[in-house]
C-alpha cells in the first residue's frame, strides 16, 4: 500500500468513524486533556493499522477493536502514572467543539459507563452502537454467552443505579 493510499484511507476512516472514536474516548478519559491525549493515541494506532487491514471483518469492527484496545492500554498506563494536572486542565482542549447542551441523562450514562471495568465499558459502547453479541465477542475475544451474561449484569446495575437517581429518568 502506498503512502498516498494510506493517507486517503486514513482521511476517509477518520471522517466516517470520528463519532465512534469520540464515544470510546469519552468512556475512557474524563478530563479534556486526557481525552485529547487518548484521541491522539487512537488515531496514531489507526494510522499504523491501515496496511495490515485485510478486510476479514468490517471496517467498523476493525476501528472499534483498535480504539478499544488502545483505550484499555492507555487507561492502564494512566492509572500507573496519575499525577496532579490542575495547571494542565486550564489549557483549552483540542477536541473542544462548539458549546453544546448535553442531555443530563446521557452525561449520567457516560459517567456510569466510565465507572465500569474495561471489558464492561467496551461492551456498553458496543451495545449502544448496535453490535450483535457475535460481533462483540469477536472484537473483545470473549464468548458470545459471556457477552450475554455481562450485558445482562450491566443492564441490571445501570437500572438499579438509575432508580437511585430518579431525576435522570432512565
Amino acid at each position: 500500500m502506498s503512502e498516498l493510499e494510506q493517507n486517503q484511507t486514513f482521511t476517509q476512516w477518520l471522517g466516517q468513524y470520528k463519532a465512534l472514536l469520540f464515544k470510546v474516548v469519552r468512556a475512557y478519559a474524563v478530563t479534556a486533556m486526557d481525552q485529547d491525549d487518548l484521541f491522539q493515541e487512537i488515531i496514531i494506532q489507526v494510522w499504523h493499522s491501515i496496511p495490515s487491514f485485510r478486510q476479514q471483518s468490517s471496517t467498523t469492527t476493525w476501528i472499534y477493536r483498535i480504539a478499544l484496545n488502545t483505550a484499555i492500554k492507555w487507561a492502564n498506563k494512566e492509572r500507573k502514572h496519575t499525577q496532579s494536572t490542575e495547571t494542565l486542565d486550564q489549557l483549552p482542549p483540542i477536541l473542544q467543539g462548539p458549546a453544546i447542551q448535553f442531555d443530563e441523562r446521557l452525561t449520567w450514562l457516560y459517567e456510569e459507563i466510565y465507572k465500569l471495568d474495561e471489558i464492561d465499558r467496551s461492551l456498553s459502547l458496543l451495545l449502544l452502537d448496535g453490535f450483535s453479541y457475535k460481533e462483540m465477542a469477536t472484537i473483545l475475544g470473549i464468548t458470545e454467552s459471556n457477552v450475554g451474561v455481562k450485558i445482562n449484569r450491566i443492564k441490571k446495575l445501570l437500572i438499579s443505579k438509575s432508580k437511585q437517581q430518579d431525576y435522570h429518568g432512565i
Side-chain angles (χ1 to χ4, degrees):
M1 172 176 279
S2 72
E3 191 169 333
L4 177 62
E5 292 171 322
Q6 187 172 359
N7 276 329
Q8 290 172 337
T9 301
F10 179 74
T11 302
Q12 178 189 359
W13 284 3
L14 191 57
Q16 191 172 353
Y17 299 106
K18 192 182 291 187
L20 178 153
L21 298 176
F22 286 151
K23 283 182 202 174
V24 173
V25 166
R26 188 170 177 197
Y28 282 85
V30 177
T31 68
M33 187 68 81
D34 284 346
Q35 289 175 352
D36 289 346
D37 289 346
L38 179 54
F39 182 75
Q40 282 185 337
E41 188 66 31
I42 290 171
I43 62 172
I44 288 168
Q45 294 305 317
V46 168
W47 168 262
H48 289 299
S49 76
I50 291 171
S52 61
F53 180 58
R54 303 283 179 249
Q55 299 180 349
Q56 294 172 340
S57 62
S58 72
T59 306
T60 306
T61 300
W62 181 259
I63 298 282
Y64 240 124
R65 184 178 294 152
I66 293 165
L68 291 173
N69 287 335
T70 303
I72 290 168
K73 288 177 190 172
W74 180 88
N76 288 333
K77 182 178 75 176
E78 284 301 306
R79 235 181 266 125
K80 292 177 185 174
H81 302 301
T82 303
Q83 300 174 359
S84 175
T85 58
E86 291 176 327
T87 56
L88 294 177
D89 285 339
Q90 305 305 318
L91 298 173
I94 295 170
L95 298 176
Q96 183 175 358
I100 299 172
Q101 184 67 26
F102 287 106
D103 185 334
E104 181 181 320
R105 295 169 300 172
L106 188 58
T107 300
W108 175 85
L109 181 61
Y110 273 100
E111 287 171 0
E112 293 303 319
I113 288 172
Y114 179 77
K115 294 174 187 175
L116 300 171
D117 68 49
E118 284 89 1
I119 298 294
D120 290 351
R121 206 178 307 170
S122 299
L123 282 170
S124 299
L125 293 175
L126 293 168
L127 182 66
L128 290 173
D129 273 343
F131 281 81
S132 70
Y133 284 17
K134 183 176 183 175
E135 291 170 317
M136 289 184 225
T138 301
I139 291 170
L140 298 174
I142 59 177
T143 65
E144 267 186 80
S145 60
N146 196 359
V147 167
V149 168
K150 286 183 165 292
I151 286 176
N152 190 38
R153 289 179 183 160
I154 293 166
K155 285 180 179 179
K156 284 182 180 179
L157 175 69
L158 292 175
I159 288 168
S160 170
K161 286 185 174 190
S162 74
K163 287 179 181 175
Q164 295 168 7
Q165 304 290 329
D166 63 338
Y167 61 90
H168 291 293
I170 296 176

